[in-house]
Amino acid sequence: MALLITTAPAKAAEPADVAPDGTPEQIHLTWGDDRSKTVFVSWASPARSLNPRVILRSSAYSVGAADRDAVIPAVERTYTDGINGQTVFTYHAKLDALEADSEIEYAVTADNDRNAAQPFSARFRTAPHGRAAFRWTSYGDLSTPVTSWVLSTLQSRFAVDAVERFQPLFHLLNGDLCYANLNFAAQPSVWADFGNNVQKSAVHRPWMPCPGNHEIEFGNGPLGYASYLTRYSLPGNGTPFPGLWYRFQVGSVLFISLCADDVIYQDSGAFVVGPEPVVPAPSTGNAPIEPGTSIYNRGFSGGAQTRWLEETLAAAACDAGIDWIVVQMHQDAMSSSTYGNGSDRGIREAWLPLFDRYGVDLVLCGHDHDYERSWPVRGCNHHVGRDAITGAVVDTCQPQPVITTDPPDGTFDTRRGTIHLVLGGGGSGSPLDAYGVDPVTGRPQAKVITKSNRPTPGTAPGTFMKPAADALEEAIWSARRDTQTGYGIAVFDVDPGTAGGKTSITIRYYHALGANRKPTGEYDLFETLTLSKDRE
Ligand SMILES: [Fe+2]
Ligand SMILES: [Fe+2]
């Protein structure tokens, strides 16, 4: 029988004199276009909020010598989940004209906030203006602490605590936020559990996300990103695809966040395995989603994203205020995970040549739930891979390392090559800490996806499966792999240096030993590396 989705249960009828519940929840911050002046406060509420607003406390709001609280109204954005029919109410207040490098106290409320007498309040710090020292953190693949959801684990709670332990200026959440798309009947509830977990940290510092394959949902927009895009306010990109990619700068570091679904070969979005169709709630008016259906977004922007990336990188190359370029995306150009997805040639073809041409220093990814660091890479070797089944020669565009031993002083020069980090160990329920090894040579080996893996009939009648990576290559680019645990967090400290001198980024990766067996809040140092170069 088909998987029938009932309409999300209506709340018990409320007395006529009680307004629907507009209490803010899932509260989080993101940078606006000018991160030293503009911050978005976003949240959701169980029902429509009346007069939703942020109150900036006068003690912390120094612009304009305000002697009373400033009230910033929020705009409402909603969507109705295309599978269970639940309408999600979100609110976004743009805090503008803030002072750089200042502590801001704020409250979030509405006329029908159950906590209106004492609304939720918190503090955050705006970004510094100009060259400055700062810290950011990153991981992807977080999930929720509600373990009844697919791929959710209690480690995701400790992972949020870990961000607070390191007190970064902001956190990069590199995709696969909560895996709502694996829980067809309850996508909005999964998002709510994710948002309320992340709130512990994201009310104190921006969490800047990029979309991963699990942000692609049935029923929610033509590309499946409607839930993600409704919930986040992000810097603009001037294209018909706002929110899916963006840039922002802090100090002398340019951060570029990309949507790799646009260029990868792998089909890893929403998928009905079968044998039963997924039948949306009658209120949605949506037709059953038949077994074998998947959302495959490769090429969705028609090249707009890659053109934007090249323009952004070209502008950065002529900008004397930019010393470092850091890219965040979800999927991996280089990953040698055994049981994970592997490397995707689509990224190697579309974007690695641009990273080479314009000197991107660092690429932060997730997707495979582990830690892997590449050597600095430039250019690629052709026709050195082989078909995973037939052994025939395949062009995997194997990235070429510029060094293959750690520098004696642990300091890397990324002007010679780009370092990629897989940081997929946020908290999802399939930690992967096994990596490929060539059975003959004993050297690191990677799976590579070089063509689309659209669903094909599975072994059980009426079911479908997605083929695994089609090619293999020697992972000559792989520098370090954490075989002890899949879970961890990367911490980045920027030293802007002084005029005429050097600038550096120190990277420390901390991992949660034993978390594969039992969730833990203990994160221990796994490795440290430093990137150093002359200031622009
Ligand atoms: Fe993931
Ligand atoms: Fe993923």
Side-chain angles (χ1 to χ4, degrees), residues 141 176 213-214 330 367:
D141 308 83
D176 281 4
N213 51 304
H214 288 288
H330 179 62
H367 200 39

Side-chain angles (χ1 to χ4, degrees), residues 140-141 151 175-176 179 213-214 330 341 366-369 424 428 430:
D141 308 83
L151 285 192
D176 281 4
Y179 301 87
N213 51 304
H214 288 288
H330 179 62
N341 303 279
H367 200 39
D368 282 345
H369 303 161
S428 78
S430 59

Side-chain angles (χ1 to χ4, degrees), residues 315-461:
C318 321
D319 187 335
I322 294 173
D323 293 323
W324 301 98
I325 303 174
V326 176
V327 168
Q328 147 173 273
M329 68 174 104
H330 179 62
Q331 288 91 349
D332 305 304
M334 283 168 278
S335 167
S336 65
S337 168
T338 305
Y339 306 114
N341 303 279
S343 313
D344 201 297
R345 191 177 73 179
I347 300 168
R348 298 175 176 188
E349 290 172 339
W351 292 344
L352 262 52
L354 296 178
F355 297 169
D356 285 351
R357 191 174 311 149
Y358 296 104
V360 168
D361 297 284
L362 201 50
V363 179
L364 311 180
C365 308
H367 200 39
D368 282 345
H369 303 161
D370 59 20
Y371 175 76
E372 183 162 15
R373 165 169 64 87
S374 81
W375 299 116
V377 295
R378 273 288 181 276
C380 69
N381 301 313
H382 291 290
H383 308 292
V384 293
R386 59 186 172 82
D387 187 280
I389 296 167
T390 67
V393 171
V394 172
D395 187 1
T396 55
C397 302
Q398 178 195 48
Q400 205 166 15
V402 297
I403 54 172
T404 53
T405 52
D406 281 331
D409 63 354
T411 300
F412 291 82
D413 181 356
T414 49
R415 285 171 306 186
R416 297 179 57 207
T418 307
I419 293 178
H420 293 236
L421 300 179
V422 181
L423 303 170
S428 78
S430 59
L432 304 165
D433 47 14
Y435 304 84
V437 175
D438 184 314
V440 177
T441 65
R443 291 201 281 264
Q445 184 182 62
K447 300 188 294 187
V448 188
I449 302 153
T450 73
K451 54 191 178 192
S452 75
N453 61 327
R454 302 308 308 277
T456 56
T459 44

